[in-house]
């Protein structure tokens, strides 16, 4: 596959995001990166290294809704004249990131309060979310890429495949003949992706506040494994050359976490936040939300397996225990 990985700097960990340049027709940028001052010069240098003028770029494709992947879409759209293409759910993040983040902050505030996270930690965690708003410039979205559609990119025909879990809009773009896919943050080589509870519009029923995104993530990983790919190009870090092994590592990581939560519940029933604290007494910043999210993931999977059940409430928060 004639794609070049372009490492783009980001102001938060892990410090880099992978963009991809397809220098053959239709010349395509995948994931332009965050709106920071190094991004556009990095792309201009990459284009020049391939003997390309900015105006030759035809498309900018976005893999999912996260700021570090799409923030510079508008800057590159202006510089190149290329069309911006993304899965349908990404539209609101491209065309109104501040509003989309306000909705996320509102939902995750409700989620954290529901699970009895202290107000101060909730405020701290969500300040991190609000802090990324300046790294995305509002852009037009020129066309949507629905699940199952096909897209020509740099001499390849890519099939668009929805893979929710890491975010609701994660999407894989697969050359099924070549066995190669762009996978965004759905599947990484170096660590399992964070799985986030999908943001829901109010009014949010109580049952929705137990949703974690984990069942979707596991289904998505299995669906990608079934494609039989030989190479996956991820949104961060090194390419994935053994897809079944990378899927297995992620699944095992999640299962180990499930087992740890089940062990913690052997010492007595607890709220989701109580379970977070049993493993880390002082979660800080966005970690308070990420650890709550991971714990809800374990509880949702253990609940589906009939090993954990909800046992009423404590200070209004759902309380969980081992199933009898
Ligand atoms: Zn992401």
């Amino acid at each position: 596959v004639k794609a070049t990985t372009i490492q783009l700097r980001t102001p938060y960990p892990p410090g880099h995001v992978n963009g991809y340049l397809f220098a053959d027709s239709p010349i395509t940028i995948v994931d332009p990166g965050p709106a920071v001052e190094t991004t556009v010069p990095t792309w201009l240098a990459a284009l020049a290294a391939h003997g390309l003028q900015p105006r030759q770029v035809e498309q900018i494709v976005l893999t999912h809704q996260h700021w570090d992947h799409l923030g510079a879409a508008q800057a590159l759209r202006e510089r190149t004249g290329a069309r911006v293409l993304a899965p349908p759910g990404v539209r609101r993040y491209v065309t109104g990131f501040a509003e989309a983040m306000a909705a996320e902050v509102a939902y995750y505030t409700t989620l954290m309060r529901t699970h009895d996270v202290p107000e101060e930690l909730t405020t701290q965690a969500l300040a991190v979310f609000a802090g990324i708003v300046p790294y995305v410039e509002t852009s037009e979205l020129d066309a949507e890429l629905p699940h199952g559609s096909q897209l020509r990119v740099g001499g390849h025909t890519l099939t668009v495949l929805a893979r929710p879990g890491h975010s609701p809009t994660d999407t894989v773009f697969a050359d099924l003949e070549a066995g190669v896919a762009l996978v965004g943050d759905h599947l990484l080589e170096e660590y399992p992706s964070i799985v986030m509870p999908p943001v829901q519009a109010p009014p949010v029923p109580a049952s929705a506040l137990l949703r974690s995104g984990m069942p979707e993530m596991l289904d998505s990983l299995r669906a990608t494994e079934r494609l039989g790919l030989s190479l996956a190009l991820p949104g961060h870090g090194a390419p994935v050359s053994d897809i079944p092994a990378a899927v297995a590592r992620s699944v095992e990581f999640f299962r180990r976490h499930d087992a740890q939560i089940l062990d913690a519940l052997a010492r007595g029933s607890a709220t989701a936040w109580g379970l977070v604290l049993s493993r880390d007494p002082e979660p800080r910043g966005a970690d308070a939300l990420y650890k709550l999210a991971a714990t809800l993931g374990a509880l949702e999977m253990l609940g589906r397996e009939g090993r954990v059940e909800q046992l009423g409430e404590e200070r209004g928060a759902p309380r969980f225990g081992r199933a009898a």
Side-chain angles (χ1 to χ4, degrees):
V1 171
K2 292 175 220 146
T4 305
T5 308
I6 310 299
Q7 287 230 318
L8 301 153
R9 262 201 271 162
T10 74
Y12 293 112
H16 285 91
V17 62
N18 292 334
Y20 292 93
L21 173 61
F22 288 82
D24 290 339
S25 179
I27 298 167
T28 303
I29 284 172
V30 176
D31 279 355
V36 295
E37 54 190 25
T38 48
T39 298
V40 170
T42 302
W43 280 113
L44 296 181
L47 292 170
H50 285 81
L52 297 172
Q53 297 295 322
R55 289 275 150 192
Q56 291 179 271
V57 179
E58 289 165 73
Q59 336 177 90
I60 299 164
V61 174
L62 310 175
T63 60
H64 67 297
Q65 70 198 45
H66 285 158
W67 66 280
D68 48 340
H69 298 259
L70 60 73
Q74 176 62 10
L76 282 165
R77 186 175 182 271
E78 281 172 12
R79 216 42 198 262
T80 61
R83 301 167 77 222
V84 176
L85 314 176
V90 177
R91 175 179 289 280
R92 56 197 298 250
Y93 290 84
V94 174
T95 60
F97 191 76
E99 293 78 6
M101 288 312 290
E104 293 211 358
V105 167
Y107 180 74
Y108 289 130
T109 298
T110 303
L111 185 76
M112 293 176 86
R113 282 183 184 151
T114 297
H115 292 286
D116 201 27
V117 180
E119 201 63 24
E120 191 194 330
L121 291 182
T122 299
T123 306
Q124 273 176 26
L126 293 166
V128 174
F129 276 52
I132 62 179
V133 168
Y135 300 114
V136 178
E137 267 184 66
T138 298
S139 174
E140 303 275 317
L141 185 68
D142 298 290
E144 293 183 353
L145 303 170
H147 173 74
S149 63
Q150 292 196 324
L151 173 70
R152 289 289 295 170
V153 167
H156 300 269
T157 299
L158 304 181
T159 302
V160 179
L161 299 166
R163 291 290 188 266
H166 166 69
S167 80
T169 59
D170 272 61
T171 300
V172 160
F173 299 89
D175 181 333
L176 297 171
E177 266 176 45
V180 178
L182 296 153
V183 295
D185 290 357
H186 159 62
L187 180 67
L188 305 176
E189 171 71 9
E190 288 152 38
Y191 44 88
S193 285
I194 287 177
V195 179
M196 288 300 283
V199 170
Q200 299 174 71
V204 183
S207 61
L209 292 156
L210 303 176
R211 298 270 327 279
S212 68
M214 186 59 79
E216 294 88 333
M217 184 61 165
L218 293 169
D219 287 349
S220 289
L221 287 171
R222 290 185 195 109
T224 292
E225 187 175 3
R226 282 196 299 273
L227 296 178
L229 303 170
S230 53
L231 183 66
L233 303 174
H236 301 275
V240 186
S241 54
D242 187 341
I243 284 81
V247 168
R249 277 197 302 278
S250 288
V251 171
E252 276 160 29
F253 175 86
F254 298 138
R255 290 237 170 92
R256 225 165 23 243
H257 186 251
D258 294 353
Q260 289 160 348
I261 294 295
L262 200 59
D263 277 353
L265 288 172
R267 298 191 289 273
S269 64
T271 62
W273 184 246
L275 290 164
V276 170
L277 293 181
S278 75
R279 299 165 38 72
D280 175 3
E282 275 186 90
R284 284 164 196 281
D287 252 7
L289 176 56
Y290 296 143
K291 289 184 173 179
L292 176 67
T295 301
L296 292 173
L299 291 169
E300 189 170 10
M301 294 315 296
L302 291 166
R304 286 182 169 217
E305 290 162 10
R307 294 198 281 172
V308 161
E309 60 192 6
Q310 198 184 319
L311 306 168
E313 293 183 348
E314 176 182 327
R315 291 163 36 96
R319 197 175 171 87
F320 302 89
R322 283 195 171 205

